[in-house]
């Protein structure tokens, strides 16, 4: 270890992971009770400190794998949060990331192991430090992405109904959408394919199941909804 920069004060660097999930009806956030001081027992996002031998992105991937057991998640950096008094323990700067997963894909045994809970985003409690601010900024970024990229399919099962898709968009946008206009716009997108399969869980008649075709999207990526 060198003695360079010894005249400067040191700052701790951490990552915090904002895990959004969709359960078919509501957009949810994965949180847990903080297991360490300061703030022990407060609701919190899940995170960790960046190790000396890893990049910030690598630290976020490590934390997410520990928490979800998944490696190919949709992850985007929200930004750095570094208010001087944001952590009463030490001078800590945190880099936040948001992740999109389908709740049904998450192994519930891991949730129980880490004592985590899925809470509806519109019922989010007060979180530790500036974690509420992190979530709010992530929401804004996610809404922008949702209108220009097909990221919604990261929150859905591989086969889904148009009703599920509309409920997801409504949950993310926080507003009701006109059913006729929404379906008209969806049917104009050739990369949302109708299959021959029927979902009969909601009614005897059932509803057609659709899927996202990544290849067709790559050929015509001018997406806007």
């Amino acid at each position: 270890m060198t003695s360079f920069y010894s005249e400067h004060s040191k700052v701790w660097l951490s990552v915090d992971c904002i895990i959004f999930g969709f359960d078919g009806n509501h957009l949810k956030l994965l949180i847990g009770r903080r297991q360490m001081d300061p703030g022990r027992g407060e609701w919190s996002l899940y995170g960790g400190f960046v190790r000396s031998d890893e990049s910030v992105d690598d630290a976020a991937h490590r934390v997410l794998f520990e928490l979800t057991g998944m490696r190919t998640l949709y992850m985007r950096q929200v930004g750095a949060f570094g208010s001087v008094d944001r952590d009463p323990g030490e001078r800590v700067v945190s880099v936040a990331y948001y992740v999109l997963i389908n709740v049904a894909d998450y192994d519930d045994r891991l949730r129980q192991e880490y004592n985590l809970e899925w809470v509806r985003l519109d019922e989010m409690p007060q979180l530790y430090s500036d974690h509420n601010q992190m979530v709010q900024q992530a929401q804004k970024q996610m809404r922008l992405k949702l209108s220009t990229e097909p990221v919604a399919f990261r929150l859905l099962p591989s086969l889904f109904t148009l009703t599920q898709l509309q409920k997801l968009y409504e949950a993310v946008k926080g507003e009701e959408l006109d059913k006729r206009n929404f379906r008209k716009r969806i049917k104009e997108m050739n990369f949302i394919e109708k299959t021959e399969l029927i979902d009969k869980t909601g009614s005897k008649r059932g509803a057609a199941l659709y899927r996202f075709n990544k290849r067709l999207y790559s050929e015509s990526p001018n997406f806007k909804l």
Side-chain angles (χ1 to χ4, degrees), residues 2 7 17 28 31 51 58-59 63 74 78 83 94 98 101 109 114-115 117 125 130 141 163 176 187 204 206 208 212:
T2 69
E7 72 274 19
C17 298
K28 293 189 171 183
I31 58 175
R51 297 171 179 169
D58 287 343
V63 168
Y74 179 90
V78 178
S83 296
S94 182
Y98 78 86
I101 67 174
R109 290 174 298 179
Y114 287 96
N115 295 313
E117 295 292 339
D130 51 7
Q141 293 182 18
T163 297
E176 287 189 24
K187 288 178 180 180
K204 290 183 179 180
F212 172 63

Side-chain angles (χ1 to χ4, degrees), residues 193-222:
E193 292 183 321
K194 184 177 181 180
T195 72
E196 296 180 355
L197 302 173
I198 301 294
D199 175 21
K200 293 188 177 181
T201 57
S203 67
K204 290 183 179 180
R205 182 181 178 185
L209 286 167
Y210 291 74
R211 63 186 168 207
F212 172 63
N213 188 311
K214 187 181 292 187
R215 180 185 60 80
L216 289 177
Y217 172 73
S218 66
E219 294 172 357
S220 56
N222 295 319

Side-chain angles (χ1 to χ4, degrees), residues 34 36-40 42 87-90 128:
R34 192 168 164 86
M36 59 187 292
D37 292 320
R40 185 183 297 271
E42 294 183 30
D87 192 310
E90 291 286 352
Y128 175 74

Side-chain angles (χ1 to χ4, degrees), residues 158-176:
S158 57
L159 294 173
F160 52 86
T161 66
L162 292 185
T163 297
Q164 287 176 312
L165 184 60
Q166 181 170 340
K167 283 185 177 180
L168 171 58
Y169 272 86
E170 289 176 337
V172 175
K173 291 177 176 289
E175 60 184 23
E176 287 189 24

Side-chain angles (χ1 to χ4, degrees), residues 137-199:
Q137 287 195 211
Q139 272 187 277
K140 291 179 182 178
Q141 293 182 18
M142 178 173 56
R143 284 172 181 166
L144 288 173
K145 284 286 185 184
L146 195 71
S147 63
T148 58
E149 296 181 22
V151 297
F153 304 103
R154 299 281 186 164
L155 292 158
L156 290 168
S158 57
L159 294 173
F160 52 86
T161 66
L162 292 185
T163 297
Q164 287 176 312
L165 184 60
Q166 181 170 340
K167 283 185 177 180
L168 171 58
Y169 272 86
E170 289 176 337
V172 175
K173 291 177 176 289
E175 60 184 23
E176 287 189 24
L177 301 174
D178 181 79
K179 180 177 178 180
R180 182 179 298 179
N181 289 338
F182 181 82
R183 296 199 172 198
K184 180 182 178 182
R185 184 72 186 95
I186 291 299
K187 288 178 180 180
E188 292 172 352
M189 300 175 183
N190 67 336
F191 53 84
I192 300 178
E193 292 183 321
K194 184 177 181 180
T195 72
E196 296 180 355
L197 302 173
I198 301 294
D199 175 21

Side-chain angles (χ1 to χ4, degrees), residues 21-28 103 120-122 167 171:
F22 185 64
D23 66 357
N25 291 293
H26 303 288
L27 192 63
K28 293 189 171 183
V103 170
R120 284 176 50 170
L121 207 55
D122 57 0
K167 283 185 177 180

